[in-house]
Amino acid sequence: MKKRLNLILLSLCVMALLPGTLNGQTRKERKILYHSQYNYEIEPVGVGQDGTKVFKVWGVGKDVNEAIMKAKADAVAACIFKGLTGGAGSAPTPPIISEPNAEDKYADYFETFFEVGGKYLQYIAVTTDGDPSGQDRLKLKKGYKVAIYVQVMYDALRRQLEADKIARRLDTGF
Amino acid sequence: MNRACLGINKNLHEQNLNASSIRPIKNNFVRMKKISLLFFVSILTVSLFSQAKKPVIMVFPSDQYCISRGYSMTFDNQGLSQTLPDYKKALQTDPDLRLVITKMGQIMADRGFPLKDLEQELKNLEQEGAEMSMLTSKSGAGIVESPIDKLKRTAKADILLDLDFTIKKSGPQTYISFNLKGLDAYSAKQVAGVAGAGKPSASAAPEILLEEAVLSQMDSFNAGLMRHFEDMFANGREVKMLIKLWDSSGDDLETEYDVSGESIELITAIDRWLDDNCVAGRYNRSDATASMGRYEQVRIPLMKKDGKGIDRAVDTRTFVSDLRSYLSKAPFNLTSKVYQRGLGEAWLIIGEK
């Protein structure tokens, strides 16, 4: 009798947990999400000086330094592939490459461009990469999610991609 | 050590023609230079002739901007009072406008599209008019300028950047309301546009806010312009075409001709020519009578091959000239005149030159 009661209780527990397991994110899914190449978290903070864009960008990593480096790479990647949302007085900025699936088409180029210590760092002018604190530094179960303020040399980045024939120049064909 | 791309010339007779015994290899350099020169000239030729005609872009302050600030001229047009913008006055007296145009010009030049400057163009036109009225030949002959030539002597562009901005106050704070439209001068379509208000500030000077407004909006505006150019390269340049008749013309657009064994009206023959020559046969005959045919959204190719197989840029005049050439042959045998109204509009006037 006791055995049967235990079995019923166990079944009820499993049934109660089942919807949560189905709808919630697994740890693996969360990991994929954090490391997705499309998951840029950007917040505009104003209008940059001539040829630059300033915004706040979030990065996730095992430690604060890794998260900061991820945030820098994401800042440049957002300018190239996603564009920047408008806000805080700045108008929306379109991505430098308007061609769909450019990240796959030029995968080899961008692999080199975004490698550790790669050329992308040339286009980050100013960051607040002294350790972020307060609301800009979130402790996760395994690692950190931090926000840094970056100034991306948007025009210089565009010119480089145009020179490398990755982005189309406005006057191409004329 | 042999240089790359440089085979040793073993023909001693040839070497002796141009080089001394001290530098026997000189002739190879001469040959290499010639080959390189030929190569670069051919590359240059291909690149020169494979470019589409570049549209001219010019910033104009909007009518609303000029008139609301008093940069306007009012005159009596057959009993009707008409107010027109006075661009010269606006450019000479409004420092904010000059600042915005300069900043836009700097950004556009960086993108490979230096803007034609309206102020300079107005000065040039004035100077040109003055010189034309003074210029005489040795025998005392003046330059011929028809009334239509005079009428055409105005500041023109293919894409007009219609600019409007206002410095607004909200309590102690100042902000900029900015509106920029890119208009195709021929189709009158808006090909790009941005509008919005900047962040209010109590401390920043209006000049800084204006600069911020331009910096903030131009990337988005240029993305719109890029989409327009991409569409142009994919589907052809969108132009306007008008068919008219001289009153001396014996035929009209309803005159029937025998084309390939079928009796069709002249306007139908023109339609069929457009079917064959527009990009993907895309055009729209928006209106037609016996004496007029109006074609809009005519998609003309940007390039065509000439008789020598070289790519040549096509504009509306070239395209309409091809139609004129078609109509000059049998069974039509019509003489007609091509009248150009810029890069994107031309008229074909049938009857005589």
Side-chain angles (χ1 to χ4, degrees):
Chain A
M1 183 68 190
K2 200 180 174 186
K3 224 176 189 178
R4 190 175 287 175
L5 200 68
N6 280 346
L7 200 69
I8 291 167
L9 275 172
L10 188 71
S11 310
L12 282 171
C13 285
V14 168
M15 282 171 75
L17 287 171
L18 201 61
T21 317
L22 286 175
N23 294 330
Q25 288 171 336
T26 63
R27 192 188 298 167
K28 194 180 170 189
E29 281 171 343
R30 276 199 300 275
K31 200 174 171 187
I32 292 169
L33 186 68
Y34 283 139
H35 293 95
S36 164
Q37 60 170 326
Y38 306 108
N39 186 22
Y40 315 121
E41 291 184 39
I42 302 283
E43 188 186 330
V45 292
V47 181
Q49 286 293 311
D50 218 345
T52 68
K53 302 288 169 195
V54 283
F55 51 92
K56 184 177 178 179
V57 56
W58 290 86
V60 176
K62 281 178 193 160
D63 53 44
V64 173
N65 281 338
E66 191 187 315
I68 288 172
M69 289 315 290
K70 177 78 171 44
K72 284 183 181 180
D74 280 0
V76 176
C79 290
I80 299 173
F81 303 117
K82 194 174 185 175
L84 310 171
T85 53
S90 65
T93 304
I96 292 174
I97 304 180
S98 54
E99 191 182 344
N101 305 319
E103 63 272 35
D104 298 326
K105 190 176 173 186
Y106 305 109
D108 291 344
Y109 176 88
F110 286 116
E111 207 157 296
T112 316
F113 191 83
F114 283 111
E115 68 187 8
V116 178
K119 202 169 188 179
Y120 75 94
L121 287 169
Q122 193 180 328
Y123 304 102
I124 302 277
V126 181
T127 61
T128 51
D129 59 359
D131 279 357
S133 57
Q135 286 186 333
D136 292 344
R137 177 181 169 137
L138 304 178
K139 177 83 181 83
L140 304 174
K141 258 187 184 175
K142 277 186 179 176
Y144 287 89
K145 181 176 179 179
V146 299
I148 56 169
Y149 292 85
V150 293
Q151 184 179 30
V152 175
M153 314 280 283
Y154 186 85
D155 282 6
L157 176 63
R158 178 178 49 73
R159 279 194 287 267
Q160 178 69 57
L161 294 173
E162 285 173 353
D164 294 342
K165 310 277 184 224
I166 303 294
R168 192 175 187 273
R169 278 181 63 89
L170 187 62
D171 63 346
T172 300
F174 292 113
Chain B
M1 196 172 102
N2 291 338
R3 282 168 185 261
C5 315
L6 185 66
I8 296 170
N9 187 2
K10 290 176 180 170
N11 184 350
L12 298 174
H13 300 289
E14 191 186 331
Q15 284 188 12
N16 288 339
L17 287 175
N18 296 303
S20 72
S21 56
I22 304 165
R23 291 183 298 157
I25 205 164
K26 185 184 171 188
N27 204 38
N28 274 321
F29 284 107
V30 172
R31 183 183 288 171
M32 190 181 165
K33 273 182 189 168
K34 275 183 186 169
I35 292 166
S36 306
L37 190 69
L38 204 67
F39 176 73
F40 286 119
V41 165
S42 59
I43 291 278
L44 188 70
T45 312
V46 168
S47 61
L48 276 178
F49 290 116
S50 59
Q51 306 287 299
K53 299 230 170 178
K54 195 172 186 174
V56 173
I57 304 181
M58 198 190 291
V59 185
F60 287 80
S62 73
D63 288 10
Q64 188 275 337
Y65 183 91
C66 291
I67 293 166
S68 66
R69 285 163 181 79
Y71 310 134
S72 58
M73 302 176 281
T74 303
F75 62 93
D76 187 71
N77 184 10
Q78 296 173 340
L80 197 72
S81 174
Q82 199 168 355
T83 307
L84 288 176
D86 185 347
Y87 296 129
K88 194 177 167 188
K89 189 175 172 188
L91 292 161
Q92 282 178 342
T93 54
D94 191 335
D96 292 338
L97 178 64
R98 288 175 61 85
L99 185 141
V100 171
I101 291 177
T102 306
K103 199 75 209 166
M104 285 173 65
Q106 181 197 334
I107 292 171
M108 292 305 290
D110 181 53
R111 302 297 300 266
F113 269 95
L115 299 177
K116 196 171 175 184
D117 188 67
L118 176 60
E119 190 178 9
Q120 194 55 42
E121 180 69 1
L122 292 173
K123 281 182 193 166
N124 284 347
L125 290 169
E126 271 179 17
Q127 185 68 20
E128 189 185 308
E131 283 177 24
M132 211 171 280
S133 60
M134 301 293 285
L135 201 64
T136 52
S137 72
K138 282 180 182 171
S139 67
I143 290 176
V144 176
E145 190 179 30
S146 68
I148 204 79
D149 293 345
K150 278 185 186 163
L151 199 65
K152 278 168 111 40
R153 198 146 38 84
T154 54
K156 277 188 291 191
D158 303 309
I159 294 176
L160 314 173
L161 304 191
D162 187 75
L163 171 70
D164 177 23
F165 58 86
T166 321
I167 300 168
K168 290 186 172 173
K169 286 270 182 192
S170 171
Q173 295 185 312
T174 308
Y175 68 99
I176 305 292
S177 167
F178 189 84
N179 189 342
L180 179 66
K181 285 192 284 185
L183 301 167
D184 184 289
Y186 313 107
S187 65
K189 283 185 179 175
Q190 182 176 319
V191 295
V194 283
K199 193 179 179 183
S201 170
S203 54
E207 292 78 23
I208 293 171
L209 294 177
L210 277 172
E211 190 185 355
E212 267 190 5
V214 178
L215 288 174
S216 169
Q217 302 282 359
M218 283 307 283
D219 284 318
S220 184
F221 181 81
N222 279 334
L225 215 51
M226 176 81 96
R227 282 192 293 277
H228 171 63
F229 293 147
E230 281 171 353
D231 172 68
M232 189 192 283
F233 281 106
N235 303 311
R237 193 191 297 274
E238 188 177 321
V239 302
K240 255 163 72 173
M241 202 177 90
L242 191 65
I243 311 290
K244 302 284 280 178
L245 299 176
W246 292 115
D247 56 13
S248 58
S249 171
D251 297 306
D252 65 23
L253 297 176
E254 290 174 351
T255 307
E256 296 205 0
Y257 293 92
D258 186 29
V259 180
S260 309
E262 189 187 356
S263 180
I264 56 171
E265 288 184 350
L266 179 57
I267 192 83
T268 312
I270 293 171
D271 283 356
R272 289 191 185 171
W273 186 88
L274 288 170
D275 283 333
D276 295 340
N277 289 279
C278 288
V279 176
R282 288 168 70 177
Y283 69 93
N284 178 21
R285 171 147 60 96
S286 57
D287 211 353
T289 63
S291 58
M292 176 274 290
R294 188 185 301 276
Y295 293 89
E296 289 176 320
Q297 300 182 63
V298 180
R299 291 287 191 154
I300 65 168
L302 293 176
M303 311 295 296
K304 71 165 188 176
K305 290 217 183 293
D306 69 358
K308 293 174 187 167
I310 299 171
D311 280 329
R312 302 281 185 195
V314 176
D315 62 6
T316 322
R317 184 185 172 84
T318 325
F319 185 76
V320 176
S321 292
D322 289 347
L323 174 60
R324 184 189 60 78
S325 173
Y326 168 71
L327 295 179
S328 69
K329 292 173 191 156
F332 311 104
N333 299 317
L334 294 169
T335 307
S336 40
K337 178 185 178 69
V338 178
Y339 177 78
Q340 187 178 359
R341 291 197 70 223
L343 193 58
E345 186 174 350
W347 298 353
L348 185 73
I349 311 169
I350 298 171
E352 57 184 294
K353 284 270 186 191

